[in-house]
Amino acid sequence: MNTNKMKRNRIIANHGSSFVVILCILLFWQASTQIFTIPTWLLPAPTVILTEAVAGWPNYQHHLISTTKLALLGLFIGVSVGLLVAIVLHLLPKVKRAVYPLLILSQNIPIIVLAPLLVIWFGFGVMPKVIVITLVCFFPIVVATLDGLRQTNPELMHYMRMIGASKQQIFLKLEFLHALPAIFSGLKISGTYSVMGAVISEWLGANQGIGVYMTLAQSSFRTDRVFVAIVYIMILCMILFVIIQTLEKTWLKGREKGRMEHE
Amino acid sequence: MSELTVSNIAKSFAKQLVLDDITFTINDGEFVSLLGPSGSGKSTLFHLIGGMYRPDRGAFFLDGKEITGKRGVISYMPQSPSLFPWRNVLSNVILGAEIHRKVDKDKAREMLKKAGLANYENAYPHELSGGMRQRVAFVRALLSPQDFICLDEPFSALDEFTRLDMQTWLLDIWEKNRKSVLFITHSIEEALYLSDRIIVLSSNPAKIKREFDLPFQRPREQSLLLSKDFFEWKRKIYQELEQLKVNS
Ligand SMILES: Nc1ncnc2c1ncn2[C@@H]1O[C@H](COP(=O)(O)OP(=O)(O)OP(=O)(O)O)[C@@H](O)[C@H]1O
Ligand SMILES: [Mg+2]
């Protein structure tokens, strides 16, 4: 009970200033819309958006669930593939030298440009959407994991070699665990990207999802609904971020300080 | 049983000869120190014994079997403790054994107790003092299944007081375990206090300059450090090292 309270107090202390800033912006926004009588279709007041968010819940709830599922599925596949690719590239340095520049180059192609191609090849089903999300989630994980694996502490590496650890043991007992914090950094980025990827993929053509809800709202000038969608996208990203951060804290418990002292 | 023979080892890096015709033997249960100037190639010799790379000439034998270029036949304590930050003390000390799939946790606990770390089993390395970390690294080397231990300047990073404590502690533990030890050090006193034999290396390239058999009885006490005999030996070896400087 008491510790919970302390925790809450700490959260407020840490993030209190952000709350104040957000509150100020909202107040300013509310005041501006009223003072300058800005039409709702141009810029709805925060209160209007809130009203719609509450009243419209039954209308958009299934869109929200659909997007969440899609983002999670894409994130899972993207992260799995990314980890696998990173590990394979790490274990095969020659292949890595050939492939790594191509990987970076591939990131210069905007997903939006690829999307129509994916639709042509895979139609309007789940497949092209998952591919889009996978593509955006994949890169941060690969780069973070490869970086983490490359930066293995040379002293620990030397020790493992001297006592005769096999390549597999070195990877499992040292390199991978050493790379975990880096992998989690990549995971946080991928997590946020996955929601964005999901919404973009829904713009390609879908029958439900926040992306669809947004498109519909936009074409009927329901700007308040567009804002509701934006707020939910932000909330989804934040929830994913917090989940990943909590996982990170429980997994890497006890070593956080040690790392800082070592590096 | 373990007896290491170093036979005519030569090694150069990029045309620079570092080790030239090094030959010596360490008998079973013997504690031998390698004493030599910085950069003479002491660590290089360890890396060669450990199989990190191959010598240009010569070979190593452990109990008569050739081990040149083979990894994992010696237990090793590096110059820095090299503990794994995500492992607690207990799982750090069993790492050497774990690699060779011979973990004995009860023995590990017992050893930690002897090392005065009984209450720190679950602590992480960053929660320990420098001296404690060195002790953990030493216990890890002792618990490794190999009978031959190489220690590379284990105490050079410690202050004078802690170092003396650690030396006395190491002697105490070792005199009960009696594995064969090859010990690298810069310090004449440390070599005298701990070893049965001292091998003095010259540098550029490293050759064996001289070997000294030490007459001090075991178990040894700290009072040895203040004895007249000890000072005599210290002077003798000091002069040997001074000559090295004059010659080079
Ligand atoms: N991998 C390597 N590549 C090239 N040169 C090396 C390598 N390892 C060691 N050397 C060289 O070999 C020489 C001996 O180095 P080594 O580390 O063995 O010295 P040392 O006797 O252990 O010194 P210290 O007492 O300072 O630890 C040095 O001149 C060093 O530059
Ligand atoms: Mg050295």
Side-chain angles (χ1 to χ4, degrees):
Chain A
M1 224 15 230
N2 207 7
T3 51
N4 269 346
K5 213 176 194 173
M6 268 160 59
K7 218 167 167 182
R8 200 162 52 228
N9 284 343
R10 208 175 49 235
I11 288 172
I12 292 172
N14 286 344
H15 301 284
S17 46
S18 318
F19 280 128
V20 172
V21 173
I22 292 175
L23 205 68
C24 285
I25 293 174
L26 287 177
L27 280 175
F28 178 72
W29 180 351
Q30 184 78 32
S32 320
T33 48
Q34 269 161 22
I35 292 168
F36 304 113
T37 55
I38 300 173
T40 307
W41 62 265
L42 197 59
L43 183 67
T47 46
V48 176
I49 297 169
L50 187 66
T51 317
E52 174 56 27
V54 174
W57 172 255
N59 300 332
Y60 64 73
Q61 169 221 41
H62 64 284
H63 291 303
L64 197 60
I65 291 169
S66 159
T67 301
T68 310
K69 277 189 193 155
L70 188 62
L72 287 179
L73 180 68
L75 179 63
F76 179 76
I77 296 177
V79 167
S80 310
V81 175
L83 273 179
L84 202 73
V85 168
I87 290 169
V88 168
L89 288 185
H90 176 74
L91 295 178
L92 305 171
K94 277 186 192 150
V95 180
K96 179 181 161 185
R97 232 167 291 144
V99 172
Y100 196 60
L102 296 181
L103 262 180
I104 294 192
L105 204 66
S106 78
Q107 286 305 300
N108 293 331
I109 310 169
I111 292 297
I112 287 283
V113 180
L114 277 184
L117 271 182
L118 291 173
V119 171
I120 293 171
W121 291 335
F122 302 104
F124 288 97
V126 179
M127 185 71 153
K129 300 187 180 66
V130 170
I131 293 178
V132 167
I133 306 168
T134 303
L135 282 176
V136 285
C137 292
F138 166 84
F139 190 67
I141 282 288
V142 173
V143 173
T145 308
L146 278 177
D147 269 357
L149 289 172
R150 199 166 40 85
Q151 283 162 4
T152 304
N153 184 326
E155 281 172 4
L156 301 185
M157 190 63 144
H158 177 77
Y159 175 75
M160 287 296 263
R161 290 220 178 103
M162 277 293 277
I163 63 165
S166 67
K167 237 187 149 176
Q168 189 194 353
Q169 284 172 325
I170 289 178
F171 180 76
L172 291 177
K173 291 183 197 293
L174 173 58
E175 291 177 304
F176 185 70
L177 295 176
H178 198 276
L180 266 184
I183 294 175
F184 268 109
S185 307
L187 201 56
K188 283 183 204 159
I189 300 176
S190 290
T192 1
Y193 280 12
S194 71
V195 179
M196 214 174 59
V199 173
I200 291 177
S201 75
E202 284 162 356
W203 285 344
L204 298 179
N207 39 31
Q208 56 180 357
I210 296 180
V212 176
Y213 173 76
M214 255 180 132
T215 323
L216 290 176
Q218 181 207 5
S219 56
S220 56
F221 286 94
R222 288 297 303 262
T223 315
D224 52 343
R225 287 188 180 169
V226 175
F227 273 104
V228 170
I230 292 174
V231 169
Y232 272 111
I233 290 170
M234 278 160 56
I235 291 174
L236 265 182
C237 285
M238 213 136 80
I239 290 174
L240 272 177
F241 189 87
V242 169
I243 290 174
I244 294 167
Q245 201 171 38
T246 313
L247 276 179
E248 180 184 21
K249 278 206 181 119
T250 42
W251 271 29
L252 306 185
K253 182 176 50 174
R255 78 152 132 172
E256 205 44 47
K257 247 165 72 199
R259 268 179 65 79
M260 287 190 319
E261 273 164 31
H262 273 271
E263 281 158 18
Chain B
M1 234 313 267
S2 70
E3 180 189 284
L4 180 81
T5 303
V6 174
S7 164
N8 305 99
I9 292 296
K11 175 76 188 171
S12 36
F13 288 113
K15 285 195 189 142
Q16 187 211 352
L17 192 58
V18 176
L19 296 173
D20 184 15
D21 202 29
I22 305 287
T23 300
F24 60 84
T25 297
I26 292 161
N27 301 312
D28 186 37
E30 202 180 15
F31 195 123
V32 177
S33 288
L34 270 182
L35 196 58
S38 181
S40 55
K42 304 181 296 293
S43 296
T44 304
L45 184 63
F46 266 25
H47 299 161
L48 287 167
I49 297 174
M52 292 291 284
Y53 25 75
R54 285 188 150 265
D56 300 337
R57 265 188 298 115
F60 300 101
F61 300 90
L62 192 65
D63 297 332
K65 267 190 299 195
E66 177 155 7
I67 56 157
T68 320
K70 246 171 106 179
R71 287 187 186 170
V73 288
I74 51 147
S75 151
Y76 173 62
M77 176 174 174
Q79 195 157 346
S80 66
S82 303
L83 303 178
F84 285 46
W86 55 86
R87 285 176 169 243
N88 63 21
V89 167
L90 184 64
S91 47
N92 255 302
V93 294
I94 60 172
L95 179 63
E98 196 179 307
I99 293 298
H100 299 279
R101 302 199 170 76
K102 286 184 183 146
V103 177
D104 183 346
K105 282 205 176 168
D106 293 330
K107 196 174 156 202
R109 290 211 177 84
E110 196 185 315
M111 219 36 154
L112 282 175
K113 206 192 245 166
K114 278 190 203 149
L117 293 164
N119 297 325
Y120 292 91
E121 255 181 44
N122 297 315
Y124 286 89
H126 72 266
E127 296 165 324
L128 307 177
S129 72
M132 286 158 96
R133 278 181 223 163
Q134 297 283 1
R135 269 182 279 170
V136 173
F138 182 64
V139 171
R140 179 174 64 181
L142 276 182
L143 287 172
S144 297
Q146 305 89 342
D147 289 323
F148 194 93
I149 306 187
C150 289
L151 305 167
D152 192 348
E153 300 187 36
F155 307 140
S156 63
L158 302 178
D159 63 85
E160 199 69 34
F161 298 109
T162 322
R163 189 189 306 188
L164 186 58
D165 275 353
M166 294 291 300
Q167 288 163 353
T168 306
W169 172 82
L170 185 144
L171 264 186
D172 190 45
I173 298 257
W174 178 77
E175 276 165 358
K176 285 173 195 144
N177 274 274
R178 282 285 182 161
K179 289 187 170 188
S180 319
V181 172
L182 181 55
F183 188 91
I184 291 182
T185 179
H186 277 137
S187 154
I188 299 173
E189 275 196 34
E190 184 167 87
L192 283 170
Y193 185 35
L194 300 176
S195 344
D196 299 312
R197 193 143 55 93
I198 295 179
I199 296 173
V200 178
L201 289 180
S202 62
S203 64
N204 281 326
K207 284 187 184 167
I208 293 190
K209 184 76 191 331
R210 262 190 88 171
E211 285 191 37
F212 297 97
D213 272 307
L214 302 180
F216 308 127
Q217 296 293 315
R218 290 189 193 276
R220 291 180 186 171
E221 311 272 329
Q222 267 190 30
S223 56
L224 173 69
L225 290 167
L226 299 173
S227 71
K228 214 171 141 216
D229 251 10
F230 194 85
F231 275 118
E232 269 312 300
W233 273 100
K234 198 171 156 184
R235 201 164 54 85
K236 210 157 141 184
I237 293 179
Y238 182 76
Q239 280 169 349
E240 195 68 38
L241 287 175
E242 277 302 298
Q243 264 187 4
L244 273 181
K245 276 187 207 155
V246 174
N247 291 349
S248 64

